Amino acid sequence: MRLKDKVAIITGAGLGMGRAGSVLFAREGASVLIFDLNEKAASETESIIKSEGGKCAVFIGDVSKEADVKAGVEEAVKQFGKLNILYANAGVLWKDRDKSVIETTEENWDIVQAINLKGAFFLTKHGIPYLQKAGGGSIILVGSISALVGFTLAQDSYTCAKGALISLAKSLAVQFGPDNIRCNIIHPGMVDTPLQEPYLTPEKKKAIGDSLPLKRLGKPEDIANTALFLASDESSWMTGAELIVDGGFMAT
Ligand SMILES: NC(=O)c1ccc[n+]([C@@H]2O[C@H](COP(=O)([O-])OP(=O)(O)OC[C@H]3O[C@@H](n4cnc5c(N)ncnc54)[C@H](O)[C@@H]3O)[C@@H](O)[C@H]2O)c1
């Protein structure tokens, strides 16, 4: 029960790492507001948590829309009375539209930024005042190894959004540390989730896994466990940090 009596909002909680994080946080005693635009996926996450006796509620919204995020944050407080953890997990990787700067339209650049970067801006903008009210809290942002190295198959808007989140994590850490609010960022390597599904055949997955020091792709739970550590009091002297969770990719 490492998150006993805590309230968390997790964006992109319908699938992938967000679902794994929601289930794990609820198992550890948190009440979880599942925020996602995919209604079916969100209600599946809800069913898993409720079948295990956990506490959660669903809010259907789009992280790129400020009014949705504000309403989602308010719903978490209405349902559970307070807010302690903001987990800005929602993101999209659209390799068909987001490519090199010389191939990407302005419209596609902007929408990728709006979901991957502005979503975290809205969540922290509207969530931090509640964390202050609660006497502190933990903010978890999700970057990517794409923000740390260049890739020959570019997704430049995604990469830049994830890079900007590193700066946001450090700025929030410094600004709100005195309020006992911590902010850290996780950089996942390649994790086997629905986000990667359109781009990976089973053969490709195996080849990428074999190329890593730890010889496998990541599982959503690998990232959820890291987020749990950052959400819990076990990381109470950590802020502004970047945690790379990538099977050793960045070490090679
Ligand atoms: N999977 C990877 O290999 C990988 C690697 C590095 C970073 N990441 C990052 O990790 C995070 C989670 O990725 P994942 O692989 O679990 O993704 P996923 O596609 O499996 O799940 C993402 C969830 O976010 C939701 N979502 C998408 N756009 C949304 C929006 N505008 N508003 C609300 N919800 C929205 C989707 O409906 C889905 O439920 C993302 O930020 C992603 O960029 C993933």
Side-chain angles (χ1 to χ4, degrees):
M1 298 300 271
R2 291 151 76 188
L3 301 180
K4 192 171 182 299
D5 299 329
K6 307 270 192 207
V7 178
I9 179 167
I10 305 182
T11 64
L15 295 170
M17 303 175 200
R19 171 179 290 177
S22 300
V23 170
L24 185 61
F25 280 26
R27 266 181 210 153
E28 294 288 339
S31 300
V32 180
L33 195 285
I34 297 162
F35 186 108
D36 207 291
L37 45 65
N38 181 334
E39 210 168 331
K40 184 168 172 282
S43 67
E44 281 170 10
T45 302
E46 179 186 31
S47 300
I48 297 169
I49 293 175
K50 292 213 163 142
S51 72
E52 295 183 354
K55 282 173 279 175
C56 65
V58 168
F59 187 91
I60 301 303
D62 182 338
V63 291
S64 70
K65 300 203 161 62
E66 182 166 12
D68 286 10
V69 180
K70 182 171 185 287
V73 164
E74 284 166 359
E75 183 65 17
V77 176
K78 190 175 139 211
Q79 292 278 341
F80 305 117
K82 60 173 183 166
L83 199 48
N84 308 105
I85 299 156
L86 311 176
Y87 184 1
N89 164 77
V92 289
L93 181 67
W94 287 337
K95 293 190 187 183
D96 56 332
R97 282 160 277 176
D98 175 23
K99 301 181 177 190
S100 163
V101 286
I102 58 171
E103 300 163 293
T104 302
T105 64
E106 182 180 4
E107 190 190 349
N108 286 334
W109 176 277
D110 286 347
I111 180 68
V112 169
Q113 294 287 318
I115 298 168
N116 291 307
L117 177 57
K118 224 154 65 160
F121 158 46
F122 293 147
L123 184 65
T124 52
K125 173 177 175 176
H126 295 289
I128 285 172
Y130 289 107
L131 266 48
Q132 288 171 316
K133 230 181 247 175
S138 174
I139 302 168
I140 302 157
L141 304 183
V142 181
S144 170
I145 53 166
S146 312
L148 307 178
V149 287
F151 285 100
T152 44
L153 282 176
Q155 299 97 48
D156 279 332
S157 185
Y158 180 84
T159 297
C160 291
K162 294 299 191 185
L165 288 170
I166 300 173
S167 309
L168 182 65
K170 291 177 196 296
S171 178
L172 297 181
V174 170
Q175 286 178 70
F176 299 106
D179 295 335
N180 195 31
I181 295 172
R182 302 180 294 105
C183 181
N184 297 287
I185 183 164
I186 303 171
H187 295 304
M190 195 168 275
V191 181
D192 197 358
T193 67
L195 174 131
Q196 293 285 5
E197 216 44 60
Y199 314 113
L200 295 179
T201 58
E203 295 73 38
K204 229 174 176 180
K205 280 186 196 177
K206 183 168 180 331
I208 295 169
D210 286 348
S211 73
L212 296 172
L214 290 177
K215 299 291 169 204
R216 65 169 175 86
L217 291 189
K219 296 180 283 195
E221 291 73 20
D222 293 317
I223 308 303
N225 280 316
T226 310
L228 170 62
F229 167 66
L230 291 176
S232 77
D233 293 340
E234 289 158 25
S235 58
S236 63
W237 205 51
M238 269 182 74
T239 197
E242 297 173 57
L243 290 188
I244 298 171
V245 186
D246 68 348
F249 173 83
M250 290 298 297
T252 58

